[in-house]
């Protein structure tokens, strides 16, 4: 059997494809930097805090001397500021002084790299040997994340490594993933599984497929099919066979979820980096917490405390400065430095000891290059959300592994690419998609979904999954009427057509966004009507959850204002039962009711963002019990996807016109 299975017209070289990806990554970096500068030049401190990019105010809790004599600062923010943020080890940051009359990029700053983050404290290794004057003159201090060059540098390095691979395991994996070498599998055995589980047949088949893969396997998980549950089971089975497994994803949220699920199953797991969710279970499994729980930590802490005492004593000799005092100060500083070095050596030993016995290491894709673990190699790497990850990011962990398991769904949201040119020329196509298309034997699809009523599921199944999805008995007929008889009779899928009503879209020139206030009002009126029979007091233990979605920021803003002005709906929002956002903000989530305003209504049939049908697949499949869609069929009907949707809702009796609401 030939090993070459991907045969374009011309001879194909993976290196040439990767070289093009590398060039597109440079374009993306340049665009990202340009947008970063534009966005942050005018942003206030409060706005940056809200986006998780700034801690303010901070105090300098400790000063130390690091590698090369450079200053290392421990910074602390007030206890009350425990909101989520994007600070983590390895990221570039800058301490700044909020000096009167100076703002934005004009503020004095001290650049560095974050080396450690613990709750309200972080350590910044700076580029200077001394603290600048403005940092000690009484100005309020803060710390900003600066442009993330680290991620781009690591992705570029990984691409170079993969392109240069020759006649080794990385070269084989590259060729399998890009389709020039056939993926190999051992025979699957029904009795191969050790851990008991309640998985269905398609999930068990996916786990067996993972165990049989010698090179690459794909778990294809459409909405609601239990991809995370299946992935955790596959990791458990792999842990039984291998010494240490690497599990990663492009987002902190996905890494956190997998860490929690593995910890709940009793796996010895260490979470590298800074978790985005603050839970006791997660924090317990961070490397910092594991180091503090180690039997040798008491000795380490004692060394650091003594070193700090010596350093403080040395500081007392600064004002009263004679020859003997200078000698004493030098001796104390030398003792402090020696103790710090010994403490660092002991911490490295503790870390190595922990990593030697750990079963699973979890990290983001870029986090896999963390200096603490970058020397490690693995037999298997699992990459979750691989269909949302830029290809260069995936090569970082793959370069450390002998076998690759990808999990995701390429029919949902693609990765975010800021450069239009890079997106057009191929950066948005993921490694997951390439392997899925070029090596179809590597994939196993999960076919039973546990989220939504079968009528909500069916259109998505027909359009994206060859009609293969099946609703589990627990959700097959679980509409709003099954939740509460007051809702009966109800339509699980309802399209409210505004054609002929004259609800024209409005373009907001400043933001190039689009709104349709009259359509938004109609959607909220129908939602309020639907909820008339709902009494939250009857469902205190299982309250309804509602999501309102629109594709445009201007429409989202209008909907939020309109909800706040509506007495009934604003109460639900206040109690976090109702949320309004874009499709992207609901990715990975679900709600009992999803209401979507398609917004576009014009005489030219222009639908803009709506033509990205994967985005609509995500929006529609967030619904569990009820999907309400409002739109203009005259504008939408020219597009094949929306034409099919209109035909579908008519077929199931879910089509209504806005005239019925008049």
């Amino acid at each position: 059997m030939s090993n070459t299975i991907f045969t374009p017209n011309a001879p194909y070289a993976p290196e040439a494809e990767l070289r093009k990806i590398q060039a597109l990554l440079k374009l993306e970096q340049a665009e990202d930097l340009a947008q970063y500068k534009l966005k942050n030049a005018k942003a206030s401190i409060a706005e940056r805090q809200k986006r998780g990019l700034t801690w303010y105010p901070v105090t300098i809790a400790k000063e130390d001397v690091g590698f090369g004599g450079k200053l290392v600062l421990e910074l602390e923010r007030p206890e009350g500021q425990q909101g989520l943020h994007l600070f983590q080890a390895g990221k570039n940051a800058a301490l700044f002084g909020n000096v009167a009359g100076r703002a934005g990029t004009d503020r004095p700053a001290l650049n560095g790299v974050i080396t450690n983050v613990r709750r309200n404290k972080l350590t910044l290794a700076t580029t200077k040997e001394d603290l600048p004057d403005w940092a000690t003159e009484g100005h309020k201090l803060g710390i900003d994340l600066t442009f993330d060059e680290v991620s781009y540098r690591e992705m570029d390095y990984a691409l170079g490594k993969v392109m240069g691979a020759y006649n080794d395991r990385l070269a084989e994996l590259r060729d399998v993933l890009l389709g020039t070498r056939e993926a190999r599998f051992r025979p699957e055995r029904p009795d191969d599984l050790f851990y008991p589980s309640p998985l269905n047949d398609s999930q068990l088949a996916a786990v067996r497929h993972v165990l049989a893969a010698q090179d690459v396997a794909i778990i294809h998980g459409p909405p609601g099919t239990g991809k995370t549950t299946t992935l955790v089971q596959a990791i458990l089975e792999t842990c039984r066979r291998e010494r240490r497994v690497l599990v990663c994803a492009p987002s902190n949220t996905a890494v956190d979820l997998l860490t929690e699920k593995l910890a709940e199953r009793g796996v010895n797991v260490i979470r590298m980096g800074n978790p985005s969710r603050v839970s006791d279970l997660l924090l317990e499994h961070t490397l910092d917490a594991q180091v503090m729980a180690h039997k040798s930590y008491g000795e380490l802490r004692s060394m650091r405390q003594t070193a700090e005492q010596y350093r403080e004593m040395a500081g007392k000799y600064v004002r009263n400065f004679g020859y003997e005092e200078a000698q004493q100060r030098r001796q104390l500083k030398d003792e402090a430095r020696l103790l710090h070095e010994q403490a660092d050596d002991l911490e490295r030993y503790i870390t190595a000891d922990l990593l030697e016995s750990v079963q699973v290491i979890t990290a983001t894709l870029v986090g896999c290059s963390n200096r603490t673990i970058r020397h490690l190699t693995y037999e298997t790497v699992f990459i979750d959300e691989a269909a949302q990850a830029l290809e260069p990011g995936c090569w970082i962990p793959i370069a450390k592994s002998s076998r690759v398991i990808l999990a995701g769904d390429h029919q949902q949201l693609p990765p975010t690419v800021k450069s239009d040119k890079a997106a057009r020329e191929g950066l948005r196509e993921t490694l997951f998609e390439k392997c899925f298309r070029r090596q179809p034997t590597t994939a196993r699809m999960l076919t039973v979904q546990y989220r939504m009523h079968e009528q909500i599921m069916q259109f998505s199944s027909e359009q994206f999954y060859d009609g293969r999805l099946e609703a589990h008995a627990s959700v097959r007929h679980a509409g709003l009427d099954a939740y509460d008889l007051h809702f009966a009779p109800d339509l699980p899928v309802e399209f409210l057509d505004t054609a002929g009503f004259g609800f024209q879209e409005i373009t907001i020139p400043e933001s190039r966004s689009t709104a349709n206030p009259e359509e938004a009002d109609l959607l909220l009126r129908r939602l309020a009507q639907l909820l008339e029979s709902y009494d939250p007091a009857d469902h205190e233990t299982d309250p309804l959850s509602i999501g309102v979605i629109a594709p445009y920021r201007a429409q989202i803003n209008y909907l939020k204002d309109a909800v706040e002005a509506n007495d009934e709906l604003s109460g639900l929002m206040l109690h976090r039962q109702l949320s309004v956002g874009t499709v992207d903000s609901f990715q990975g989530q679900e709600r009992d009711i999803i209401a979507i305003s398609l917004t576009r209504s014009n005489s030219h049939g222009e639908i803009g963002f709506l033509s990205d049908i994967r985005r609509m697949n995500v929006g529609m499949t967030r619904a569990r019990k009820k999907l309400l869609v409002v739109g203009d069929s005259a504008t939408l009907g020219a597009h094949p996807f929306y034409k099919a949707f209109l035909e579908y809702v008519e077929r199931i009796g879910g089509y209504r016109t806005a005239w019925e609401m008049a």
Side-chain angles (χ1 to χ4, degrees), residues 325-517:
E325 287 82 0
Q327 290 289 94
Q328 185 73 3
R329 182 173 185 245
R330 190 176 299 112
Q331 188 177 344
L332 285 166
K333 287 184 76 174
D334 287 344
E335 288 284 349
R337 189 178 296 111
L338 182 61
L339 272 171
H340 271 302
E341 288 172 0
Q342 290 173 348
D344 289 346
D345 288 342
L346 181 55
E347 185 168 4
R348 278 190 283 271
Y349 160 76
I350 292 172
T351 302
D353 188 42
L354 290 167
L355 295 174
E356 187 66 25
S357 58
V358 73
Q359 290 175 283
V360 175
I361 293 172
T362 61
T364 59
L365 299 175
V366 174
C368 295
S369 60
N370 183 296
R371 60 189 175 87
T372 308
I373 59 168
R374 70 182 307 145
H375 63 288
L376 298 178
T377 57
Y378 313 85
E379 189 171 332
T380 302
V381 58
F382 288 83
I383 303 179
D384 193 15
E385 288 188 345
Q388 281 184 269
L390 289 176
E391 178 183 335
C394 288
W395 289 117
I396 298 171
I398 291 170
K400 303 169 185 298
S401 311
S402 299
R403 204 170 70 104
V404 184
I405 313 300
L406 305 174
D409 179 17
H410 56 299
Q411 301 294 4
Q412 295 189 59
L413 292 182
T416 300
V417 178
K418 294 176 180 175
S419 164
D420 291 339
K421 187 172 191 292
R424 277 196 315 273
E425 295 188 11
L427 190 60
R428 189 169 279 155
E429 185 179 20
T430 62
L431 193 58
F432 182 102
E433 287 178 272
K434 289 180 180 179
C435 187
F436 188 95
R437 181 163 45 85
R438 300 174 188 181
Q439 295 266 29
T441 60
T442 61
R444 288 289 183 276
M445 189 174 99
L446 309 180
T447 56
V448 180
Q449 68 83 20
Y450 298 83
R451 174 182 297 164
M452 56 202 123
H453 189 287
E454 64 179 352
Q455 288 188 353
I456 299 172
M457 172 204 76
Q458 196 56 44
F459 179 68
S460 172
S461 179
E462 291 170 3
Q463 290 291 310
F464 297 99
Y465 307 107
D466 301 323
R468 293 173 60 196
L469 292 187
E470 171 193 342
H472 187 262
S474 62
V475 298
R476 192 174 298 146
H477 305 299
L480 285 175
D481 50 355
Y483 171 78
D484 188 325
L485 281 173
H486 287 104
F487 285 107
D490 183 60
L491 305 169
V493 179
E494 180 181 341
F495 178 74
L496 203 52
D497 190 357
T498 66
F501 246 67
F503 290 175
Q504 289 295 300
E505 64 188 52
I506 302 166
T507 301
I508 314 295
E510 295 82 6
S511 60
R512 294 185 299 171
S513 192
T514 303
N516 191 327

Side-chain angles (χ1 to χ4, degrees), residues 164-184:
Y166 176 74
N167 208 24
D168 60 8
R169 184 56 182 152
L170 181 55
E172 290 175 354
L173 282 179
R174 175 196 64 205
D175 295 347
V176 171
L177 283 157
L178 296 178
T180 62
R181 181 190 292 264
E182 191 167 3
R184 301 164 302 152

Side-chain angles (χ1 to χ4, degrees), residues 25 28 71 78 95 102 154 158 186 215 227-228 241 343 361 365 371 491 552 558 604-605:
L25 187 66
E28 175 68 1
L71 188 66
L95 179 73
R102 301 175 69 176
E154 292 296 344
R186 301 182 189 88
D215 308 295
K227 174 189 59 108
T228 301
R241 294 158 173 78
I361 293 172
L365 299 175
R371 60 189 175 87
L491 305 169
Y552 293 91
Y558 182 87
H604 318 296

